[in-house]
Amino acid sequence: MARKTTYKIKQLKESGKKIVMLTAYDAPTASILSECGVDMILVGDSVGNALLGYESTIPVTLDDVIHHSAAVARAKPDSLIIGDMPFMSYKVSIEQALENCALMLQEGGAEAVKIEGASKRVVDIVRAVVDSGIPVMGHIGLTPQSIFQLGGYRVQGRTAELTEALVEQAKALEEAGAFSIVIELVPSETAKRITESIGIPTIGIGAGPHCDGQVLVLWDMLGLFEDFKPKFLKKYANIRTVIKEAVNEYSEEVRKGEFPDSEHSFEMSEEETGRLYGRTKPSRQRAS
Ligand code: KIV
């Protein structure tokens, strides 16, 4: 399958084809997503909640995302790899953003970066990063890195005014050169209005059916977590149950002495076994 590029992603919107994006944080899942024809792999800072045991994305560092992005890149997926810029790794100054986004490509093997927010400061940063030749995906609506400012994981853009404000943010990001925008946790009508107002693809999560594409956190849609059940999440598998069943069966077989059996063990030749236990004498070399 041909490698996906930001150009091809933009073409999908133009041709009216839906865009499929999922998160991945390691090589085996990245290669599975690629084999399934997933358009974009996001190495999200959601790695903090999904794999690293944090309660939010705030503690996730640039090194964390680079480490996981490099693993994804080693799988050489056809999907476009997007490295998520974590909390405060791009907002301090334009210089900081340029240096860190460059590291995401150079060390993380990403082909684009995702940047949260659309304040004037962030839009200027997006413009500078794009100007440096690094493709940027924007992220508006609920932006988890601003969770303390937003006061929790609440639906954004619930009114006409708030929707128009989000439309302005999306337009500013498009004008700054972003190649697509994630819209998180907004009413369907809000996402529709934004999607119709800009020429670049919108990728929804908790944003209803009218976006140009969809993203979910892989481990959420595979059902790794029992207690995480937001309204927008559809679980396509129950991987937690599958893992538990396998671990329970393994534990039982180990405890009963049924595993490992001869099928899964290596054997010594009869002669060597005999030598080991002193039943046969080792053959001697005759002196000449
Ligand atoms: O980090 C992440 O996985 C994300 C998606 C939820 C869009 O930002």
Side-chain angles (χ1 to χ4, degrees):
M1 207 180 294
R3 297 213 61 185
K4 303 286 165 66
T5 60
T6 53
Y7 176 72
K8 286 185 188 165
I9 298 299
K10 285 199 264 189
Q11 273 186 326
L12 289 173
K13 173 163 182 148
E14 284 155 28
S15 59
K17 291 193 183 130
K18 289 277 187 184
I19 301 164
V20 180
M21 177 158 118
L22 278 169
T23 65
Y25 318 108
D26 59 72
T29 46
S31 86
I32 294 171
L33 300 192
S34 175
E35 282 170 24
C36 293
V38 167
D39 298 305
M40 295 192 276
I41 292 177
L42 173 67
V43 186
D45 59 0
S46 52
V47 68
N49 313 67
L51 291 194
L52 303 180
Y54 295 133
E55 281 179 10
S56 77
T57 58
I58 307 285
V60 176
T61 65
L62 182 65
D63 283 346
D64 288 334
V65 181
I66 286 179
H67 176 75
H68 287 277
S69 181
V72 165
R74 282 192 284 272
K76 297 192 173 41
D78 288 331
S79 329
L80 184 76
I81 305 171
I82 298 151
D84 205 4
M85 296 305 292
F87 182 65
M88 278 300 155
S89 66
Y90 55 93
K91 280 189 183 163
V92 175
S93 65
I94 286 183
E95 288 69 27
Q96 183 223 24
L98 291 177
E99 280 172 16
N100 287 342
C101 290
L103 288 176
M104 191 63 85
L105 269 61
Q106 288 181 309
E107 294 181 10
E111 296 154 313
V113 297
K114 180 166 80 59
I115 284 179
E116 282 189 16
S119 62
K120 184 182 173 319
R121 183 187 184 81
V122 172
V123 170
D124 286 344
I125 286 166
V126 168
R127 184 175 293 105
V129 175
V130 173
D131 281 351
S132 76
I134 299 176
V136 176
M137 171 180 272
H139 184 156
I140 59 173
L142 182 98
T143 44
Q145 290 170 19
S146 309
I147 200 64
F148 297 129
Q149 200 171 43
L150 296 174
Y153 293 91
R154 297 212 194 104
V155 176
Q156 305 292 303
R158 278 189 181 276
T159 65
E161 288 77 24
L162 292 171
T163 297
E164 287 312 325
L166 286 173
V167 168
E168 290 314 311
Q169 290 185 3
K171 285 183 175 170
L173 287 170
E174 178 177 26
E175 186 272 325
F179 76 93
S180 67
I181 302 176
V182 167
I183 307 176
E184 181 164 352
L185 218 55
V186 301
S188 305
E189 297 77 5
T190 303
K192 183 169 189 282
R193 178 81 171 179
I194 299 169
T195 301
E196 289 166 350
S197 307
I198 56 175
I200 55 174
T202 58
I203 311 292
I205 174 163
H210 305 297
C211 289
D212 299 304
Q214 175 67 39
V215 60
L216 283 177
V217 170
L218 182 72
W219 297 112
D220 293 345
M221 63 87 97
L222 290 180
L224 188 64
F225 306 102
E226 254 157 16
D227 300 336
F228 187 58
K229 293 175 191 150
K231 179 175 159 62
F232 68 81
L233 176 62
K234 181 169 176 187
K235 292 194 183 179
Y236 287 83
N238 196 336
I239 202 86
R240 194 178 180 89
T241 305
V242 174
I243 293 174
K244 273 186 176 174
E245 280 170 8
V247 171
N248 284 335
E249 196 178 331
Y250 163 79
S251 306
E252 203 180 316
E253 289 193 3
V254 168
R255 289 190 180 116
K256 283 185 180 162
E258 289 173 1
F259 179 84
D261 52 13
S262 59
E263 195 191 335
H264 300 95
S265 307
F266 303 95
E267 277 170 22
M268 208 181 250
S269 69
E270 262 183 47
E271 188 189 351
E272 285 303 320
T273 313
R275 286 179 66 201
L276 188 64
Y277 289 100
R279 285 199 289 271
T280 57
K281 287 193 181 152
S283 57
R284 289 221 185 127
Q285 203 81 36
R286 193 187 273 270
S288 53

